[in-house]
Amino acid sequence: MSYINTFIRVAADCPVETGIIPVTSKPQLPAHIIQYELLAEEPYRYTHEELLYEVHVRHKQIPEEERISRRAEIWAELFSRKHPCLRASMLPKRYGWGVHFDAEGRIAIYAMESPEYDRYTSGENSGLTLLNAMRSKRS
């Protein structure tokens, strides 16, 4: 699911007080770390579908040549099934990152202690839909 003019707030049961850069000791990066790297390096570059595709090909370590030659096929296969939205991502659920979708559906992340996070969540932006990230545990 892709959003426009939407901000996903950090989950109510997020265990951190500030945005934390996710790390791992595993050789293969998990999806949420790839999401973080892509969105931190290039805010507002990716739509949700583009982000899912890029995370998929990097996570599966598909070589660049194959990404180019088989892009349409990989894309069609990837989107032949449903994917969770970023409300379910570990970034807003566990690591303290809010997710902003602009008017074109392009994505950026903001640490929960940042002025941008405060500005988006204050309710001052008319036309901006505010959503909560999914909780990790049932209440």
Side-chain angles (χ1 to χ4, degrees):
M1 166 175 257
S2 191
Y3 296 108
I4 58 167
N5 292 325
T6 300
F7 192 84
I8 299 172
R9 293 179 285 228
V10 171
D13 64 348
C14 181
V16 299
E17 304 272 328
T18 61
I20 300 212
I21 297 172
V23 294
T24 186
S25 59
K26 297 178 183 179
Q28 184 174 359
L29 296 178
H32 67 276
I33 292 181
I34 300 170
Q35 287 174 348
Y36 173 82
E37 290 177 350
L38 293 170
L39 296 173
E41 289 172 10
E42 296 187 81
Y44 299 111
R45 174 178 177 189
Y46 299 99
T47 63
H48 187 239
E49 290 80 12
E50 293 164 346
L51 181 66
L52 286 171
Y53 175 81
E54 197 60 35
V55 168
H56 173 75
V57 296
R58 290 180 187 214
H59 184 62
K60 297 295 183 189
Q61 300 176 336
I62 298 173
E64 185 67 29
E65 308 81 44
E66 190 175 346
R67 292 181 200 183
I68 294 168
S69 66
R70 293 187 51 234
R71 186 182 199 292
E73 180 184 342
I74 295 168
W75 185 282
E77 181 182 321
L78 176 65
F79 292 106
S80 67
R81 57 192 186 280
K82 293 184 178 194
H83 297 274
C85 69
L86 286 176
R87 290 183 57 221
S89 169
M90 293 300 287
L91 295 178
K93 285 176 66 172
R94 166 78 181 87
Y95 292 100
W97 295 92
V99 183
H100 180 241
F101 293 81
D102 70 8
E104 296 176 3
R106 304 222 174 259
I107 307 165
I109 55 174
Y110 295 99
M112 63 192 295
E113 75 279 7
S114 70
E116 294 87 358
Y117 185 96
D118 287 342
R119 184 170 44 94
Y120 286 123
T121 59
S122 69
E124 295 174 10
N125 295 312
S126 62
L128 184 69
T129 302
L130 294 174
L131 300 173
N132 293 324
M134 294 179 181
R135 296 174 62 96
S136 294
K137 299 176 183 152
R138 290 183 177 181
S139 55

